[in-house]
Amino acid sequence: MESATNADLVILGGGSGGYACAFRAAELGLSVVLVEKDKLGGTCLHRGCIPTKALLHAAEVADNAREGDQFGVKSSLEGIDIAGVNSYKDGVVSRLYKGLQGLAKANKVTLVEGAGTFVGPNTVVVNGQRYVGKNVVLATGSYARSLPGLEIGGRVITSDQALNLDFIPEKVVVLGGGVIGVEFASVWRSFGSDVTIVEALPRLVPAEDEYASKQLERAFRKRGIKFKTGVKFTGATQTDSGVSITLENGDVLDADLLLVAVGRGPNSAGHGYEEAGVQIDRGFVITDERLRTNLPNVYAVGDIVPGLQLAHRGFQQGIFVAEEIAGQNPKVIDEAGIPRVTYCKPEVASVGLSEAAAKEKYGSAEVFIYDLAGNGKSQILKTTGGVKLIKAPDGPVVGVTMVGERVGELIGEAQLIYSWEAYPEDVAPLIHAHPTQTEALGEAFLALAGKPLHVHG
Amino acid sequence: MESATNADLVILGGGSGGYACAFRAAELGLSVVLVEKDKLGGTCLHRGCIPTKALLHAAEVADNAREGDQFGVKSSLEGIDIAGVNSYKDGVVSRLYKGLQGLAKANKVTLVEGAGTFVGPNTVVVNGQRYVGKNVVLATGSYARSLPGLEIGGRVITSDQALNLDFIPEKVVVLGGGVIGVEFASVWRSFGSDVTIVEALPRLVPAEDEYASKQLERAFRKRGIKFKTGVKFTGATQTDSGVSITLENGDVLDADLLLVAVGRGPNSAGHGYEEAGVQIDRGFVITDERLRTNLPNVYAVGDIVPGLQLAHRGFQQGIFVAEEIAGQNPKVIDEAGIPRVTYCKPEVASVGLSEAAAKEKYGSAEVFIYDLAGNGKSQILKTTGGVKLIKAPDGPVVGVTMVGERVGELIGEAQLIYSWEAYPEDVAPLIHAHPTQTEALGEAFLALAGKPLHVHG
Amino acid sequence: EPVAAPVAAPAPVQAPGGYVPLAKPPVRKLAKDLGVDLYALTGSGPDGVITREDVESAVSAPAPAAAAPS
Ligand SMILES: Cc1cc2nc3c(=O)[nH]c(=O)nc-3n(C[C@H](O)[C@H](O)[C@H](O)COP(=O)(O)OP(=O)(O)OC[C@H]3O[C@@H](n4cnc5c(N)ncnc54)[C@H](O)[C@@H]3O)c2cc1C
Ligand SMILES: Cc1cc2nc3c(=O)[nH]c(=O)nc-3n(C[C@H](O)[C@H](O)[C@H](O)COP(=O)(O)OP(=O)(O)OC[C@H]3O[C@@H](n4cnc5c(N)ncnc54)[C@H](O)[C@@H]3O)c2cc1C
């Protein structure tokens, strides 16, 4: 082996968690080596958040064109030019990728290309070269899981393939009604596909408050997106012309494609973690609340750490670890304060606790739902849904769940309210801009503060 | 004259200010008479906020259809069915109108139809009937102004007529580059008109931070919206086939229509105010910061009170007065804390102070601008613009100005930050949802707190 | 206008960080994070509002409050 390169920090994986950690550490004056075997930006930029949201926007444009007459616009949708969609999507990704590479350079982060292996105690090996860090951060992310016995290939795909199809399936079955599943279902439906979602749990977006599931299911029903909840998948067989999916209840679904969206597994095997003594549980790297693994000076961030698998959680954890290493003693991250957005049509956005979780935590909870029917801007957009607030008894608002087109952009405000533990009385006097969708949030707080303005009994 | 009707509160005018005051007062147990000569909801619902935003949404749908190929969507725009646009718009208005009437009933507000005259000290007369209030609130709103010598009629119109045209002008001149002017310019351009804005002040949206004007002007230029700033209008002559507009610099503009959007005047004449001794200045009803006129127990709210002419200011003032009368001693409204949104494409949204105002107030100001080029969701929407933050020296953020499509929905968050006097350090740790436009706000605060994440030098 | 006396009525029933109308949410949150009992403070801001400075000086002063639980 060659001589070693030393640094304050060696990071394994250049996705959301890894690069945020690298940039923040560099800002704080630490020397940083960032090891990435594929492309800086990771899942989120290349195979996740960004490309899916580009597809979803193309889907919105298509819906608008199809439904223009509802607004007096004589528009028509002749079809989807999938190559055009892909080049739009790839254009967005590559522009942001370029930007990110520029940031790495500006931050003077040493990028090392190649697959790294953690050999402990403080060392990562890449192509025979040793990188020794005073601190090491594991940030190798996640991969699309499948179910036992269900092999990915051919007509059975994951989001990785779904993002780069050169055709639009006529009929598609989506296995999994979580975030990724409903987002693709939404895109394909807008593109004209016949879509059926299969979810083993009793409702779509089962991680969200039940209210969100009900609203989303109603909206999907109207859009003609079919779904079967509370039923288990038993098998899939592929032929030349299609794939046949069987369910526990005996149903058989025929489709052109089966998208497997049953969650993402931690990418923690094959990089030396377990061999070096890192504590692993069901594939996840176990850390304490300060993101320390069981090994001294070895941290982990992002999707390999149990919890929400979200890009901005990766950012937040990456920044946290950098500041921790630099001795800034940052505040422990409140996992419930991380905002969650599902970008299908309509969107679902939440922060804090669901009603059920709040009741479990506080014994009871005050609940108020503001229906978007009373919100002028939502009426203009012709979207339905609502804002649900959860308040702790004699306490602040501890949960916000919203459903409706574009409500993902309201979560910024909700996040502050939750994180700063605001009371309805704090928000109520701040009358929101008219006519915006933010007013729905404002009205809900007015009502909870006992002074409803535009609230229909 | 017949016998008088007594109430705790008599309100003259059922627009945003009047009805919000009525509802809140009723909630607080006061008996309320609300006098309205036309339709409950006033300017905002019937001739202002709501119908314009419906037009703007139809415009967005049209733009999307026209530009679908940028997103891989094979859509086309055959034209605008203006009757269809109007029926969509009227549908939204009438649904909200119905809701509002329901709220008046539910709140047990006594609605009196007819034009009221304030005869002092506490009395309003409607159709010969006297309504005596322990308190009186003047809320008669505003009307579209014109310039001296410029008569409205025929091809010279105000927003009142512009909202109900049964055709799309081929060529239109908009006199006034303020909120209402740029919104109509934006709509007509999206509908295919040749549009020229004439503004006497040196920039579009002159009430906003200069940054907003520059960004908006650049975007309008790209959209082919012409504008002449810093030049005065001198006259208009109508013929059968058009209207000819002359400017101080000798330019002559020919058009099908001239929209006069030079501001709104207070509707304070002819209702007995001055005669009853209410102090009036240049048509506005003068109040102290608790919205009291010079007469005891007589208040004024909304567009007749000097300041921002916005519907939600009317709401806020109406609620304030109701609470004041009910003895709740509400906190004086911070006028700068009222969010301002201009809903053209791209949108402009702001709260707090402009850079110039902050420098005047604090001697100096810290400024940070986050360009939407670094914001993934904005890239997906293909919109440009940015977020500008103004921070008091050693103090909180005292101003936020944003430009870009859909940024109006970010103002809810900005409003809390401004009103709660948050420091960048308070906001920075709360990493925003990816990929949303709220991230642009989050990134700007991260940068101001000295820990930039996705910021390009 | 006479400025109301900063009367932060002692309400020992409530835990530090609970709703104190006389401090804005980020300041309440700061106080909670720093372990400062807002009910023990007198607001120096307009209308008796407890300011960020009030909270910060309560930390730097030898306070009886325990160190921040972080
Ligand atoms: C379809 C889809 C849509 C999504 N949409 C959203 C969304 O809208 N919003 C959101 O917040 N989240 C979304 N996510 C989740 C988000 O992408 C992840 O939470 C995020 O990418 C996790 O960041 P990370 O840094 O932990 O891992 P990753 O982004 O997976 O990065 C890990 C990196 O490590 C590299 N690596 C792995 N092993 C090695 C090795 N041995 N040596 C060197 N490099 C290695 C990989 O190449 C990769 O670049 C989505 C995910 C998917 C799949
Ligand atoms: C084109 C346009 C677009 C706008 N867009 C927005 C926007 O997007 N957002 C925003 O916040 N604001 C917007 N505004 C401004 C908003 O409409 C006004 O700020 C708001 O309506 C003011 O409320 P008000 O109650 O003071 O008066 P008004 O809404 O004007 O209501 C006054 C009411 O009093 C009644 N009245 C008058 N005299 C008498 C009398 N003697 N007796 C009985 N009744 C009487 C009138 O009929 C009217 O209903 C817009 C305005 C226009 C014109």
Side-chain angles (χ1 to χ4, degrees):
Chain A
M1 273 201 191
E2 304 180 21
S3 73
T5 302
N6 292 293
D8 293 323
L9 182 55
V10 175
I11 302 171
L12 195 51
S16 313
Y19 81 71
C21 186
F23 293 177
R24 183 69 185 126
E27 276 169 28
L28 291 168
L30 305 179
S31 60
V32 182
V33 169
L34 179 60
V35 182
E36 169 57 54
K37 69 173 179 188
D38 190 1
K39 283 183 182 163
L40 188 64
T43 305
C44 171
L45 178 53
H46 301 283
R47 295 176 305 278
C49 328
I50 297 296
T52 47
K53 270 78 245 181
L55 292 185
L56 280 154
H57 185 60
E60 179 184 333
V61 171
D63 285 331
N64 271 340
R66 189 187 283 116
E67 296 158 8
D69 62 333
Q70 290 188 20
F71 305 96
V73 174
K74 289 191 274 185
S75 58
S76 59
L77 178 66
E78 285 109 49
I80 304 297
D81 164 21
I82 191 71
V85 170
N86 284 329
S87 83
Y88 150 63
K89 163 179 70 70
D90 297 342
V92 172
V93 170
S94 69
R95 216 164 323 116
L96 293 171
Y97 181 39
K98 216 179 226 162
L100 195 61
Q101 290 171 304
L103 286 177
K105 205 168 278 173
N107 278 309
K108 300 206 171 59
V109 167
T110 304
L111 271 180
V112 173
E113 283 179 38
T117 306
F118 177 61
V119 300
N122 284 18
T123 304
V124 169
V125 176
V126 189
N127 298 327
Q129 173 72 35
R130 297 171 69 86
Y131 297 89
V132 180
K134 282 191 200 135
N135 302 275
V136 172
V137 175
L138 311 177
T140 42
S142 62
Y143 63 91
R145 276 203 292 121
S146 187
L147 295 179
L150 179 59
E151 213 176 309
I152 305 301
R155 296 175 180 278
V156 178
I157 64 174
T158 70
S159 60
D160 288 342
Q161 292 81 44
L163 278 168
N164 293 303
L165 295 180
D166 57 4
F167 66 99
I168 293 160
E170 237 172 81
K171 262 185 112 163
V172 58
V173 170
V174 175
L175 191 58
V179 184
I180 294 177
V182 297
E183 288 188 1
F184 276 102
S186 187
V187 168
W188 278 322
R189 184 64 192 143
S190 296
F191 285 175
S193 307
D194 177 317
V195 182
T196 307
I197 306 170
V198 175
E199 167 60 52
L201 290 170
R203 53 196 178 91
L204 296 183
V205 289
E208 295 290 339
D209 190 292
E210 281 194 40
Y211 170 76
S213 303
K214 267 203 196 112
Q215 293 286 318
L216 186 66
E217 289 176 2
R218 184 193 298 177
F220 269 19
R221 229 174 263 125
K222 261 200 217 146
R223 291 187 60 199
I225 296 176
K226 291 172 264 180
F227 49 88
K228 298 174 178 282
T229 51
V231 57
K232 279 196 183 118
F233 162 91
T234 47
T237 37
Q238 295 194 46
T239 66
D240 273 2
S241 63
V243 52
S244 193
I245 295 107
T246 52
L247 307 182
E248 205 182 29
N249 63 5
D251 281 6
V252 178
L253 302 168
D254 290 312
D256 301 319
L257 283 180
L258 171 64
L259 171 68
V260 181
V262 295
R264 293 182 63 81
N267 176 15
S268 61
H271 317 305
Y273 298 174
E274 204 148 16
E275 298 80 345
V278 176
Q279 191 193 339
I280 306 271
D281 182 21
R282 271 164 282 190
F284 287 100
V285 175
I286 301 307
T287 71
D288 64 9
E289 60 173 14
R290 302 196 76 78
L291 301 169
R292 294 178 288 219
T293 69
N294 59 314
L295 301 185
N297 302 318
V298 179
Y299 300 80
V301 301
D303 283 7
I304 54 166
V305 179
L308 294 166
Q309 292 178 321
L310 292 171
H312 47 287
R313 173 173 173 268
F315 295 152
Q316 193 162 356
Q317 292 185 335
I319 292 170
F320 176 94
V321 166
E323 295 182 346
E324 177 81 352
I325 290 172
Q328 295 208 330
N329 194 28
K331 262 192 56 200
V332 166
I333 296 169
D334 171 15
E335 182 94 0
I338 297 170
R340 308 167 293 260
V341 181
T342 306
Y343 299 82
C344 49
K345 173 181 172 175
E347 295 186 344
V348 175
S350 64
V351 68
L353 306 180
S354 66
E355 180 178 346
K359 283 191 169 150
E360 181 154 337
K361 182 164 175 185
Y362 298 105
S364 70
E366 216 176 308
V367 171
F368 183 81
I369 294 177
Y370 189 79
D371 194 305
L372 291 188
N375 178 256
K377 182 63 192 268
S378 297
Q379 289 301 298
I380 286 168
L381 296 175
K382 290 188 183 279
T383 189
T384 56
V387 172
K388 177 172 178 175
L389 302 185
I390 318 285
K391 189 182 166 304
D394 302 316
V397 169
V398 295
V400 179
T401 294
M402 303 182 281
V403 181
E405 283 176 51
R406 305 190 186 183
V407 299
E409 295 295 344
L410 309 183
I411 204 68
E413 179 176 358
Q415 177 178 17
L416 299 191
I417 290 169
Y418 169 84
S419 299
W420 291 342
E421 299 177 11
Y423 279 62
E425 292 76 5
D426 295 314
V427 184
L430 305 172
I431 304 296
H432 286 50
H434 183 76
T436 60
Q437 289 187 291
T438 67
E439 282 185 294
L441 211 49
E443 293 274 352
F445 280 99
L446 276 165
L448 258 195
K451 37 198 278 189
L453 180 55
H454 296 98
V455 176
H456 296 269
Chain B
M1 271 200 193
E2 304 181 19
S3 72
T5 302
N6 292 295
D8 292 323
L9 182 55
V10 175
I11 303 171
L12 196 51
S16 313
Y19 82 70
C21 186
F23 293 177
R24 183 69 185 125
E27 277 169 27
L28 291 167
L30 304 179
S31 59
V32 182
V33 168
L34 180 59
V35 182
E36 169 57 55
K37 69 172 178 189
D38 190 1
K39 282 182 181 161
L40 188 65
T43 304
C44 172
L45 179 53
H46 302 284
R47 296 177 303 280
C49 328
I50 297 296
T52 47
K53 270 79 243 179
L55 292 184
L56 281 154
H57 185 60
E60 179 184 333
V61 172
D63 285 331
N64 271 342
R66 188 187 284 114
E67 296 158 10
D69 62 333
Q70 289 188 21
F71 305 96
V73 175
K74 289 191 274 185
S75 58
S76 59
L77 178 66
E78 285 110 49
I80 304 297
D81 165 22
I82 191 71
V85 171
N86 284 328
S87 83
Y88 151 62
K89 163 179 70 70
D90 297 343
V92 172
V93 171
S94 69
R95 216 163 324 118
L96 292 172
Y97 181 37
K98 216 180 226 161
L100 195 59
Q101 290 172 304
L103 286 177
K105 206 167 277 171
N107 278 309
K108 300 205 169 60
V109 168
T110 303
L111 270 180
V112 173
E113 282 179 39
T117 305
F118 178 62
V119 299
N122 283 20
T123 304
V124 169
V125 176
V126 189
N127 298 326
Q129 173 72 34
R130 297 171 70 84
Y131 297 87
V132 181
K134 282 191 199 133
N135 302 275
V136 172
V137 175
L138 310 177
T140 43
S142 62
Y143 63 91
R145 277 203 293 120
S146 186
L147 295 180
L150 179 58
E151 213 176 308
I152 305 301
R155 295 176 180 279
V156 179
I157 64 174
T158 69
S159 60
D160 290 342
Q161 292 81 45
L163 278 168
N164 293 302
L165 294 180
D166 57 5
F167 66 99
I168 293 160
E170 235 170 83
K171 263 184 108 162
V172 58
V173 171
V174 175
L175 190 58
V179 185
I180 294 177
V182 297
E183 288 188 0
F184 275 102
S186 188
V187 168
W188 277 322
R189 186 65 192 141
S190 297
F191 285 175
S193 308
D194 176 318
V195 182
T196 307
I197 305 170
V198 175
E199 167 61 52
L201 291 170
R203 52 194 178 93
L204 296 183
V205 291
E208 296 289 338
D209 190 291
E210 281 194 40
Y211 170 75
S213 303
K214 268 204 198 112
Q215 292 287 319
L216 185 66
E217 288 175 3
R218 182 194 298 176
F220 269 19
R221 229 175 263 124
K222 262 200 218 149
R223 291 187 60 197
I225 296 176
K226 290 171 265 182
F227 50 88
K228 296 172 178 281
T229 51
V231 56
K232 279 199 180 113
F233 163 92
T234 48
T237 37
Q238 296 194 44
T239 67
D240 274 2
S241 62
V243 53
S244 193
I245 296 105
T246 52
L247 306 182
E248 208 180 28
N249 62 3
D251 282 6
V252 178
L253 303 168
D254 291 312
D256 302 318
L257 283 180
L258 171 63
L259 171 69
V260 182
V262 294
R264 294 181 64 81
N267 176 15
S268 62
H271 317 304
Y273 299 173
E274 205 147 16
E275 299 81 344
V278 175
Q279 191 194 341
I280 306 272
D281 182 21
R282 271 165 282 191
F284 287 100
V285 175
I286 301 306
T287 71
D288 64 9
E289 60 171 16
R290 302 197 76 80
L291 301 170
R292 293 178 288 219
T293 69
N294 58 315
L295 301 185
N297 302 318
V298 178
Y299 299 80
V301 300
D303 283 7
I304 55 167
V305 179
L308 294 167
Q309 293 178 319
L310 292 172
H312 47 286
R313 174 173 173 267
F315 296 152
Q316 193 162 357
Q317 292 186 334
I319 292 170
F320 176 94
V321 166
E323 295 181 346
E324 176 80 354
I325 290 172
Q328 296 208 329
N329 194 27
K331 266 195 55 200
V332 166
I333 296 169
D334 172 14
E335 182 94 0
I338 297 170
R340 308 167 292 261
V341 181
T342 305
Y343 299 83
C344 48
K345 171 180 173 175
E347 295 186 342
V348 175
S350 64
V351 67
L353 306 180
S354 67
E355 180 178 348
K359 283 188 169 151
E360 183 154 333
K361 181 163 176 186
Y362 299 104
S364 70
E366 214 176 310
V367 171
F368 183 81
I369 293 177
Y370 189 79
D371 195 305
L372 292 188
N375 177 256
K377 181 63 192 265
S378 298
Q379 289 302 299
I380 286 168
L381 295 175
K382 290 187 182 279
T383 190
T384 56
V387 172
K388 177 172 177 175
L389 301 185
I390 318 285
K391 189 180 166 306
D394 302 315
V397 169
V398 296
V400 179
T401 294
M402 302 181 280
V403 181
E405 283 177 51
R406 306 191 186 182
V407 298
E409 295 295 344
L410 309 183
I411 203 68
E413 179 176 359
Q415 177 178 16
L416 299 191
I417 290 169
Y418 169 85
S419 299
W420 290 345
E421 297 173 9
Y423 278 54
E425 294 75 15
D426 296 320
V427 184
L430 306 173
I431 304 297
H432 286 50
H434 184 75
T436 61
Q437 289 186 293
T438 68
E439 282 185 295
L441 211 49
E443 293 274 352
F445 280 99
L446 276 165
L448 259 195
K451 37 198 279 189
L453 180 56
H454 296 99
V455 176
H456 297 268
Chain C
E1 200 192 333
V3 172
V7 275
V13 271
Q14 236 167 325
Y19 180 47
V20 180
L22 290 180
K24 290 181 171 155
V27 173
R28 289 206 304 267
K29 190 64 172 61
L30 178 72
K32 188 180 181 191
D33 292 345
L34 295 174
V36 171
D37 178 7
L38 284 174
Y39 289 97
L41 296 189
T42 308
S44 68
D47 297 329
V49 165
I50 297 169
T51 66
R52 188 176 297 268
E53 290 70 34
D54 295 335
V55 170
E56 280 163 355
S57 54
V59 193
S60 50
S70 62

